Amino acid sequence: MSKPNPQDRFYSKDHEWIKDDGGGTAFIGITDHAQELLTDIVFVELPPIGKKVAAGGTLAVVESVKSVSDVYAPVGCEVIEVNTELENAPELINADAFGTGWIAKVRPDDAAQIKALMSSADYDSLIREKKQ
């Protein structure tokens, strides 16, 4: 069963979350729902520092026992840091998708793009619709 989606971040239809840290940067990861669908995550291909990604572009790749999935950038951004813990412990995403399982810290091209994404309530509705 998925954990509640935190209300302090925004969500994409592709099941990524972004959390603005208030300092012109933001954290990106995949949702608890996404990690549940993937099942056991065994590898994460992290983006290089300095990579510029357009909104909807591939930010990272997550490999599970079931499949290989792209992680898309919910907004246009530049990667400024990656969660190197995932190199040796990709299962952190399964254990804590909204916390220690974050994937990248980015500098968004336009902070207004973040607020154009789905709220926690909107994302919850999307998940409910897909399950019906």
Side-chain angles (χ1 to χ4, degrees), residues 9-14 114-123 126:
R9 55 201 78 199
F10 290 86
Y11 301 86
S12 74
K13 64 181 178 4
D14 296 313
I114 296 174
K115 304 229 181 320
L117 295 166
M118 287 183 275
S119 68
S120 174
D122 293 340
Y123 183 71
L126 175 79

mmCIF file of all heavy atoms in Angstrom, residues 9-14 114-123 126:
data_model
loop_
_atom_site.group_PDB
_atom_site.id
_atom_site.type_symbol
_atom_site.label_atom_id
_atom_site.label_comp_id
_atom_site.label_asym_id
_atom_site.label_seq_id
_atom_site.Cartn_x
_atom_site.Cartn_y
_atom_site.Cartn_z
ATOM 1 N N ARG A 9 5.263 19.050 -1.891
ATOM 2 C CA ARG A 9 5.909 18.914 -3.202
ATOM 3 C C ARG A 9 4.866 18.828 -4.298
ATOM 4 O O ARG A 9 3.683 18.754 -4.021
ATOM 5 C CB ARG A 9 6.871 17.719 -3.225
ATOM 6 C CG ARG A 9 6.248 16.403 -2.838
ATOM 7 C CD ARG A 9 7.298 15.391 -2.377
ATOM 8 N NE ARG A 9 7.694 15.701 -1.012
ATOM 9 C CZ ARG A 9 8.790 15.288 -0.413
ATOM 10 N NH1 ARG A 9 9.637 14.515 -1.043
ATOM 11 N NH2 ARG A 9 9.068 15.623 0.811
ATOM 12 N N PHE A 10 5.337 18.847 -5.534
ATOM 13 C CA PHE A 10 4.453 18.779 -6.689
ATOM 14 C C PHE A 10 4.773 17.517 -7.473
ATOM 15 O O PHE A 10 5.866 16.951 -7.363
ATOM 16 C CB PHE A 10 4.617 20.035 -7.563
ATOM 17 C CG PHE A 10 4.071 21.269 -6.897
ATOM 18 C CD1 PHE A 10 4.852 22.008 -6.026
ATOM 19 C CD2 PHE A 10 2.762 21.677 -7.126
ATOM 20 C CE1 PHE A 10 4.345 23.136 -5.386
ATOM 21 C CE2 PHE A 10 2.246 22.792 -6.499
ATOM 22 C CZ PHE A 10 3.036 23.523 -5.631
ATOM 23 N N TYR A 11 3.823 17.071 -8.294
ATOM 24 C CA TYR A 11 3.895 15.757 -8.939
ATOM 25 C C TYR A 11 3.651 15.845 -10.443
ATOM 26 O O TYR A 11 2.872 16.668 -10.902
ATOM 27 C CB TYR A 11 2.848 14.832 -8.311
ATOM 28 C CG TYR A 11 3.072 14.669 -6.836
ATOM 29 C CD1 TYR A 11 2.548 15.575 -5.923
ATOM 30 C CD2 TYR A 11 3.852 13.625 -6.347
ATOM 31 C CE1 TYR A 11 2.793 15.448 -4.564
ATOM 32 C CE2 TYR A 11 4.094 13.485 -4.996
ATOM 33 C CZ TYR A 11 3.567 14.406 -4.111
ATOM 34 O OH TYR A 11 3.830 14.271 -2.763
ATOM 35 N N SER A 12 4.299 14.931 -11.191
ATOM 36 C CA SER A 12 4.070 14.844 -12.631
ATOM 37 C C SER A 12 3.185 13.638 -12.921
ATOM 38 O O SER A 12 3.100 12.714 -12.102
ATOM 39 C CB SER A 12 5.406 14.686 -13.373
ATOM 40 O OG SER A 12 5.906 13.375 -13.199
ATOM 41 N N LYS A 13 2.587 13.632 -14.109
ATOM 42 C CA LYS A 13 1.754 12.489 -14.500
ATOM 43 C C LYS A 13 2.602 11.237 -14.703
ATOM 44 O O LYS A 13 2.097 10.129 -14.727
ATOM 45 C CB LYS A 13 0.931 12.824 -15.742
ATOM 46 C CG LYS A 13 1.748 13.084 -16.991
ATOM 47 C CD LYS A 13 0.867 13.421 -18.170
ATOM 48 C CE LYS A 13 1.560 13.734 -19.442
ATOM 49 N NZ LYS A 13 2.970 13.631 -19.572
ATOM 50 N N ASP A 14 3.918 11.422 -14.828
ATOM 51 C CA ASP A 14 4.840 10.293 -15.000
ATOM 52 C C ASP A 14 5.354 9.754 -13.672
ATOM 53 O O ASP A 14 6.297 8.968 -13.643
ATOM 54 C CB ASP A 14 6.019 10.716 -15.881
ATOM 55 C CG ASP A 14 5.583 11.082 -17.288
ATOM 56 O OD1 ASP A 14 4.808 10.314 -17.874
ATOM 57 O OD2 ASP A 14 6.006 12.141 -17.790
ATOM 58 N N ILE A 114 7.257 24.644 -11.558
ATOM 59 C CA ILE A 114 6.980 23.708 -10.461
ATOM 60 C C ILE A 114 5.512 23.813 -10.048
ATOM 61 O O ILE A 114 4.813 22.821 -9.931
ATOM 62 C CB ILE A 114 7.911 23.962 -9.250
ATOM 63 C CG1 ILE A 114 9.366 23.688 -9.648
ATOM 64 C CG2 ILE A 114 7.495 23.095 -8.055
ATOM 65 C CD1 ILE A 114 10.394 24.047 -8.582
ATOM 66 N N LYS A 115 5.065 25.035 -9.858
ATOM 67 C CA LYS A 115 3.687 25.261 -9.389
ATOM 68 C C LYS A 115 2.640 24.881 -10.436
ATOM 69 O O LYS A 115 1.469 24.744 -10.126
ATOM 70 C CB LYS A 115 3.520 26.707 -8.949
ATOM 71 C CG LYS A 115 4.528 27.109 -7.886
ATOM 72 C CD LYS A 115 3.909 27.785 -6.717
ATOM 73 C CE LYS A 115 4.836 28.234 -5.630
ATOM 74 N NZ LYS A 115 5.919 27.420 -5.254
ATOM 75 N N ALA A 116 3.070 24.690 -11.677
ATOM 76 C CA ALA A 116 2.146 24.274 -12.739
ATOM 77 C C ALA A 116 1.899 22.758 -12.705
ATOM 78 O O ALA A 116 1.014 22.258 -13.388
ATOM 79 C CB ALA A 116 2.698 24.682 -14.102
ATOM 80 N N LEU A 117 2.674 22.033 -11.900
ATOM 81 C CA LEU A 117 2.499 20.578 -11.779
ATOM 82 C C LEU A 117 1.334 20.261 -10.846
ATOM 83 O O LEU A 117 0.711 21.159 -10.280
ATOM 84 C CB LEU A 117 3.799 19.948 -11.260
ATOM 85 C CG LEU A 117 5.001 20.073 -12.205
ATOM 86 C CD1 LEU A 117 6.286 19.726 -11.472
ATOM 87 C CD2 LEU A 117 4.813 19.180 -13.424
ATOM 88 N N MET A 118 1.064 18.990 -10.662
ATOM 89 C CA MET A 118 -0.060 18.560 -9.822
ATOM 90 C C MET A 118 0.250 18.703 -8.333
ATOM 91 O O MET A 118 1.376 18.429 -7.909
ATOM 92 C CB MET A 118 -0.390 17.083 -10.086
ATOM 93 C CG MET A 118 -1.072 16.834 -11.398
ATOM 94 S SD MET A 118 -1.510 15.079 -11.584
ATOM 95 C CE MET A 118 0.016 14.445 -12.227
ATOM 96 N N SER A 119 -0.765 19.076 -7.582
ATOM 97 C CA SER A 119 -0.661 19.080 -6.127
ATOM 98 C C SER A 119 -0.776 17.633 -5.640
ATOM 99 O O SER A 119 -1.102 16.726 -6.419
ATOM 100 C CB SER A 119 -1.793 19.901 -5.519
ATOM 101 O OG SER A 119 -3.034 19.225 -5.754
ATOM 102 N N SER A 120 -0.555 17.427 -4.376
ATOM 103 C CA SER A 120 -0.696 16.094 -3.781
ATOM 104 C C SER A 120 -2.112 15.552 -4.004
ATOM 105 O O SER A 120 -2.290 14.397 -4.397
ATOM 106 C CB SER A 120 -0.383 16.173 -2.278
ATOM 107 O OG SER A 120 -0.639 14.960 -1.656
ATOM 108 N N ALA A 121 -3.117 16.397 -3.809
ATOM 109 C CA ALA A 121 -4.517 15.970 -3.985
ATOM 110 C C ALA A 121 -4.800 15.607 -5.451
ATOM 111 O O ALA A 121 -5.468 14.608 -5.734
ATOM 112 C CB ALA A 121 -5.471 17.071 -3.519
ATOM 113 N N ASP A 122 -4.267 16.409 -6.376
ATOM 114 C CA ASP A 122 -4.459 16.114 -7.801
ATOM 115 C C ASP A 122 -3.795 14.792 -8.175
ATOM 116 O O ASP A 122 -4.343 13.995 -8.934
ATOM 117 C CB ASP A 122 -3.869 17.233 -8.676
ATOM 118 C CG ASP A 122 -4.621 18.552 -8.546
ATOM 119 O OD1 ASP A 122 -5.788 18.538 -8.112
ATOM 120 O OD2 ASP A 122 -4.017 19.595 -8.870
ATOM 121 N N TYR A 123 -2.592 14.562 -7.648
ATOM 122 C CA TYR A 123 -1.877 13.317 -7.943
ATOM 123 C C TYR A 123 -2.626 12.120 -7.350
ATOM 124 O O TYR A 123 -2.762 11.085 -7.998
ATOM 125 C CB TYR A 123 -0.434 13.389 -7.425
ATOM 126 C CG TYR A 123 0.363 12.155 -7.765
ATOM 127 C CD1 TYR A 123 0.746 11.901 -9.088
ATOM 128 C CD2 TYR A 123 0.710 11.233 -6.795
ATOM 129 C CE1 TYR A 123 1.460 10.757 -9.414
ATOM 130 C CE2 TYR A 123 1.425 10.090 -7.114
ATOM 131 C CZ TYR A 123 1.798 9.858 -8.422
ATOM 132 O OH TYR A 123 2.491 8.718 -8.744
ATOM 133 N N LEU A 126 -5.337 11.233 -9.686
ATOM 134 C CA LEU A 126 -4.807 10.538 -10.868
ATOM 135 C C LEU A 126 -4.583 9.063 -10.560
ATOM 136 O O LEU A 126 -4.968 8.194 -11.347
ATOM 137 C CB LEU A 126 -3.483 11.195 -11.294
ATOM 138 C CG LEU A 126 -2.755 10.498 -12.446
ATOM 139 C CD1 LEU A 126 -3.396 10.854 -13.783
ATOM 140 C CD2 LEU A 126 -1.293 10.875 -12.464
#
